[in-house]
Amino acid sequence: MRTYFTNLLKQSTFLILIIVLGSSFKHASKFFAGNYNYYVSPGGDVNGDGYADVLMSVFTSEFGVSKDGKVYLNYGTGSGLTQSPVWTGICTQESANFGEAIANAGDVNADGYADIIIGAPRFSNGEDNEGAVFVYYGSPDGLKKEHSWKAEGNQANAFFGNSVASAGDVNKDGKVKKSEFGIPEDTVVIGTVGRLAEAKGQRYLLEALAVLKDKFPRIRLLIAGDGPLRKELEDYAETLGIKQNVFFLGMRRDIPELLSVMDIFVLPSLWEGLPNALLEAMAGSRSIIVADIPSFREIIDSKDVGILIPPGDSAALAEALRLLLEDSNIREAMGRNAKQRCSLLFDIKAVVRAYTGLFESILKGKENAIH
């Protein structure tokens, strides 16, 4: 979320102080009455270097045109934020309030680089104060100099762009979430969801990833969930040399969106009932690898629907992952079959038919008992 700084120092210099990895960053406006850094927002990773960047705006200062506004971007680095902005966005229209709203837009064009969105609620183009929103694409060289997308309010005093934000993954294609984690669009993502506990068998998934990392160095693993083994599993990932490949996400409320990012869904449980996450992954056409335990075996009834591996067997899990990592056609076909299987078993019409049949058999049994 963007941070709101109270305008305590009108007619004066405005300061921002950000603490990054224990080091201090300070930047001061050189402009009179600038409201400098009135709005600050995460910028995502606009240049794809693995470090988060930061946006800052000066939306009512004067740069040749009264109150036109300006937005700065500072890169994150291994030693903290750059002391000077590496990119500056400017609107040359008087009183446009460019930068009154700023945010990371996600990766809207799915090129693996974070984009930014800027609001100018007093922008006018035929209508007074109609407002406008601008999107700037990220790239290996940072943000583009010119906006790549623009929308206007087209109504007087609409103040369109007074607030902006990433909308998330509206069409559930996984592209926004991948950019959120700094994962390039063409990277195959493995994922699992569940409590971090012995029964869930996540350590075997880590071991399997360690076997595959040399052949598939770009693979990423998302682990959603928390539990008593989190610290132990994080340490184990570091010991195995796969710390950079694994994201421990903790408790999440956006599981459907996370599933859309995952190309391969894995449940290496040693024992378990029937988790909703498995059904959601199947419904989302994810390719499936699960442990060969009774509750999973009942759902994954053939190798076309998913791969069953012996519980606690990291070598077998690595081999199953290798098969899916090497062949996208197999992944896609398995995902389609998994969705069909899920619909067959849990579609509302199928459930109604099953209950109807059950009730009819009970009633028929009672009738036979009476006669």
Side-chain angles (χ1 to χ4, degrees):
M1 291 182 61
R2 62 186 181 181
T3 304
Y4 295 84
F5 283 80
T6 305
N7 188 12
L8 298 176
L9 301 178
K10 290 183 180 179
Q11 310 298 320
S12 184
T13 295
F14 224 82
L15 290 179
I16 177 173
L17 179 66
I18 301 176
I19 306 301
V20 182
L21 299 175
S23 64
S24 297
F25 163 85
K26 182 176 75 171
H27 204 178
S29 173
K30 299 177 181 178
F31 298 94
F32 187 72
N35 286 350
Y36 185 57
N37 301 317
Y38 198 94
Y39 292 123
V40 180
S41 172
D45 183 7
V46 301
N47 63 337
D49 63 357
Y51 297 97
D53 309 318
V54 174
L55 290 168
M56 312 172 199
S57 70
V58 194
F59 70 88
T60 61
S61 195
E62 298 180 7
F63 303 93
V65 180
S66 176
K67 297 183 179 180
D68 49 358
K70 205 166 191 178
V71 175
Y72 298 106
L73 178 86
N74 289 64
Y75 282 163
T77 71
S79 56
L81 290 176
T82 55
Q83 286 294 323
S84 300
V86 296
W87 178 90
T88 304
I90 304 173
C91 177
T92 56
Q93 183 180 108
E94 183 175 357
S95 300
N97 280 28
F98 181 76
E100 186 168 340
I102 53 176
N104 171 22
D107 184 7
V108 298
N109 62 336
D111 62 356
Y113 301 94
D115 310 316
I116 68 164
I117 184 168
I118 299 173
R122 294 184 179 276
F123 181 89
S124 300
N125 184 22
E127 301 287 350
D128 290 339
N129 297 324
E130 60 181 284
V133 171
F134 304 83
V135 171
Y136 294 79
Y137 288 163
S139 74
D141 299 319
L143 292 176
K144 304 289 187 181
K145 292 183 178 180
E146 301 295 331
H147 62 266
S148 302
W149 180 89
K150 175 186 174 185
E152 299 177 7
N154 296 322
Q155 180 179 324
N157 298 317
F159 299 103
F160 181 67
N162 185 61
S163 180
V164 296
S166 170
D169 190 1
V170 177
N171 62 344
K172 297 187 182 299
D173 60 4
K175 294 177 180 179
V176 172
K177 280 294 177 186
K178 278 192 175 181
S179 70
E180 179 181 320
F181 299 121
I183 300 174
E185 176 59 24
D186 59 350
T187 299
V188 178
V189 177
I190 303 164
T192 189
V193 176
R195 179 173 163 79
L196 305 187
E198 181 184 358
K200 301 295 185 178
Q202 288 101 348
R203 68 178 292 111
Y204 305 109
L205 180 52
L206 294 177
E207 291 171 356
L209 199 71
V211 171
L212 298 167
K213 68 173 182 177
D214 290 338
K215 186 172 184 179
F216 304 98
R218 297 184 63 195
I219 57 173
R220 296 293 183 268
L221 170 61
L222 304 183
I223 300 178
D226 213 334
L229 293 187
R230 176 164 181 171
K231 180 64 166 60
E232 180 180 321
L233 291 170
E234 289 176 337
D235 291 344
Y236 195 37
E238 185 169 6
T239 299
L240 293 170
I242 56 172
K243 181 180 179 180
Q244 300 301 319
N245 301 82
V246 183
F247 295 80
F248 287 90
L249 306 180
M251 294 297 295
R252 303 286 295 210
R253 298 181 181 274
D254 57 348
I255 298 301
E257 289 82 5
L258 287 175
L259 289 171
S260 72
V261 177
M262 302 173 188
D263 300 285
I264 304 170
F265 182 77
V266 182
L267 282 180
S269 307
L270 302 179
W271 63 88
E272 185 162 6
L274 181 59
N276 286 336
L278 173 58
L279 303 181
E280 291 175 352
M282 295 174 67
S285 301
R286 304 299 94 186
S287 52
I288 306 293
I289 301 174
V290 295
D292 190 2
I293 58 178
S295 57
F296 294 166
R297 195 182 309 131
E298 183 178 349
I299 304 301
I300 307 299
D301 64 340
S302 78
K303 63 181 181 180
D304 295 326
V305 174
I307 300 175
L308 294 169
I309 52 104
D313 190 337
S314 56
L317 178 51
E319 180 59 24
L321 285 169
R322 182 197 61 75
L323 175 68
L324 296 182
L325 287 167
E326 289 181 340
D327 197 326
S328 61
N329 292 326
I330 295 178
R331 291 200 306 270
E332 292 169 4
M334 185 180 291
R336 290 193 297 269
N337 293 334
K339 182 174 184 177
Q340 292 174 1
R341 174 69 173 164
C342 186
S343 297
L344 177 65
L345 292 176
F346 299 102
D347 177 78
I348 185 62
K349 293 180 180 178
V351 173
V352 169
R353 285 196 299 269
Y355 274 109
T356 301
L358 175 62
F359 293 147
E360 288 177 347
S361 65
I362 293 173
L363 292 173
K364 188 173 183 179
K366 287 185 177 182
E367 290 175 358
N368 291 338
I370 293 174
H371 293 299

